[in-house]
């Protein structure tokens, strides 16, 4: 039981690490998508008096694509955030089970992972 609880704890902590990295990557992608959209809006506002209607339509099509990218990136971010929260709960449960099985040293390791 001790060995099994140790393996489960290590696996749960690995899952937590991987979901943390995925969450950070998705947040970074979301931020970049927002930055690109804001930059495009600024460019549009700065050049509104100098562009033709054809160019304006092309810019608006690009703005719409960038908005959709922001929406998609936000969905990814929310999905990874949900996985990350579940990974935290799983890691806590695994650590508790390991502690109850007599692997008290894993409690310190898990504490270090959380803080």
């Amino acid at each position: 039981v001790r060995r099994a609880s140790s393996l489960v704890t290590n696996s749960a902590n690995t899952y937590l690490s991987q979901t943390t990295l995925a969450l950070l990557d998705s947040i970074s992608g979301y931020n970049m998508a927002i930055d690109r959209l804001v930059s495009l809006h600024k460019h549009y506002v700065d050049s509104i008096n100098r562009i033709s209607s054809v160019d304006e339509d092309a810019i608006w099509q690009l703005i719409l694509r960038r908005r959709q990218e922001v929406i998609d990136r936000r969905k990814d971010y929310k999905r990874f955030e949900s996985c990350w929260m579940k990974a935290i709960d799983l890691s806590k449960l695994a650590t508790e089970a390991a502690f109850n099985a007599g692997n008290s040293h894993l409690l310190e390791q898990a504490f270090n992972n959380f803080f």
Side-chain angles (χ1 to χ4, degrees):
V1 172
R2 282 180 146 183
R3 177 82 174 128
S5 65
S6 177
L7 290 171
V8 168
T9 301
N10 288 337
S11 295
N13 288 335
T14 299
Y15 179 60
L16 177 58
S17 295
Q18 293 302 310
T19 56
T20 300
L21 291 174
L23 177 60
L24 291 174
D25 187 53
S26 68
I27 290 171
S28 176
Y30 179 58
N31 285 336
M32 285 190 296
I34 290 172
D35 287 345
R36 285 191 293 265
L37 178 60
V38 169
S39 176
L40 184 58
H41 272 283
K42 284 180 182 178
H43 175 70
Y44 173 70
V45 169
D46 289 344
S47 62
I48 189 102
N49 294 327
R50 297 174 293 179
I51 58 175
S52 68
S53 61
V54 172
D55 289 337
E56 185 175 3
D57 288 343
I59 290 173
W60 271 106
Q61 289 302 315
L62 187 55
I63 287 173
L64 292 175
R65 285 196 300 272
R66 292 289 189 218
R67 284 182 181 170
Q68 187 59 51
E69 180 186 8
V70 167
I71 291 167
D72 293 343
R73 295 287 185 152
R74 185 173 190 278
K75 286 178 185 176
D76 286 346
Y77 156 64
K78 289 298 192 181
R79 184 172 49 91
F80 283 118
E81 182 182 42
S82 175
C83 290
W84 181 69
M85 296 298 288
K86 290 174 186 171
I88 289 173
D89 292 340
L90 181 63
S91 190
K92 286 178 183 178
L93 289 172
T95 302
E96 187 177 309
F99 179 77
N100 289 337
N103 288 332
S104 58
H105 68 281
L106 293 175
L107 185 61
E108 181 180 337
Q109 178 187 353
F111 182 79
N112 290 334
N113 287 340
F114 287 118
F115 304 102

